[in-house]
Amino acid sequence: MMVRTVALVALAFAVSATAARAADSRHPDWPCAQAKVPEISLAAVWAGPELGDAENKWKDDGRISALVSKLAARKTPLDEAEKAVKEFLASSSADKTANAKLLFAGLFDTLNAQRSQVMSGLERVSRKQREAADKIREETIQLQALQDAKPRDDAKVDAMSNQLIWETRIFEDRRKVVRFVCEVPTTIDQRLFALGRVIQQEME
């Protein structure tokens, strides 16, 4: 029992220490190793003509809005999305440039919004993790005090140990999810860049 409790204490302190580190001091709630880039720059993903009023008008076109929703969905494979872009613009004939700008403007808006949502969610979870780490740290100190008490109450030690095991497991599970979700903004960047490139190629 003593070995198990000592190991648990060591793990709990490791958990709290991990939560305390921020990868970027400018964004203390940002939990990812990748630098936080709040928004995708238009210039980084679009070398085509000025979008002009397309930035505001794309939502007024039902066909464009529906296609944007399909293309922006991560469940739509990228190759399928690229094919849909080509088919749509091939059928646009004289309106190809106007439709291409509307389509990209919609994708830029929608994917940037998706990205912001994911990043806000990551920061919310990061704050919860920090709170959880503080709680684990406090309960670890309480557990050590219970261990050292004379006479020692083994029932309380067991109860506190089991609680710490549960809380530490939840913390670790969340950390694994965060590590996975940290890849999503980059995936969105890549999707927007790839679709923007196809749109520009189809305009030429």
Side-chain angles (χ1 to χ4, degrees):
M1 177 65 193
M2 176 63 75
V3 172
R4 175 193 179 211
T5 307
V6 170
L8 177 60
V9 169
L11 177 59
F13 272 117
V15 161
S16 59
T18 300
R21 292 195 295 269
D24 187 338
S25 58
R26 295 169 302 170
H27 306 287
D29 291 331
W30 181 242
C32 306
Q34 304 93 321
K36 181 182 179 184
V37 180
E39 289 189 344
I40 306 170
S41 160
L42 179 62
V45 290
W46 181 251
E50 291 286 331
L51 295 179
D53 60 3
E55 294 184 54
N56 299 315
K57 288 190 172 180
W58 69 270
K59 292 179 184 175
D60 299 334
D61 188 313
R63 293 174 312 150
I64 297 287
S65 296
L67 184 55
V68 164
S69 295
K70 177 184 176 181
L71 299 178
R74 291 193 295 280
K75 66 182 180 182
T76 304
L78 185 56
D79 57 348
E80 184 181 317
E82 291 175 341
K83 182 181 177 186
V85 167
K86 291 175 183 177
E87 289 175 351
F88 173 72
L89 292 179
S91 68
S92 295
S93 61
D95 297 327
K96 182 182 283 190
T97 297
N99 282 333
K101 291 197 291 184
L102 287 168
L103 183 58
F104 184 77
L107 282 168
F108 185 76
D109 273 2
T110 303
L111 288 173
N112 243 329
Q114 274 186 20
R115 200 170 172 281
S116 293
Q117 273 188 329
V118 170
M119 295 173 89
S120 294
L122 280 165
E123 290 184 319
R124 278 196 305 274
V125 173
S126 177
R127 288 190 288 272
K128 283 184 182 177
Q129 286 289 80
R130 196 156 52 240
E131 290 167 6
D134 289 341
K135 188 167 184 279
I136 287 170
R137 188 184 301 111
E138 289 170 10
E139 290 176 355
T140 301
I141 293 168
Q142 292 170 23
L143 176 59
Q144 288 178 312
L146 286 172
Q147 285 180 296
D148 296 338
K150 298 193 185 309
R152 171 173 158 146
D153 187 333
D154 286 333
K156 282 187 178 179
V157 169
D158 282 350
M160 182 65 76
S161 294
N162 290 333
Q163 184 172 328
L164 270 170
I165 287 170
W166 178 248
E167 290 172 359
T168 304
R169 184 177 298 153
I170 291 172
F171 183 96
E172 287 296 320
D173 287 346
R174 272 201 202 127
R175 188 168 65 166
K176 288 173 186 172
V177 170
V178 165
R179 203 158 50 225
F180 171 76
V181 177
C182 277
E183 300 297 327
V184 173
T186 300
T187 302
I188 292 173
D189 292 352
Q190 292 168 344
R191 188 177 194 84
L192 181 57
F193 179 79
L195 293 175
R197 182 177 56 196
V198 171
I199 292 170
Q200 289 170 79
Q201 287 171 347
E202 293 303 304
M203 289 173 66
E204 294 172 359

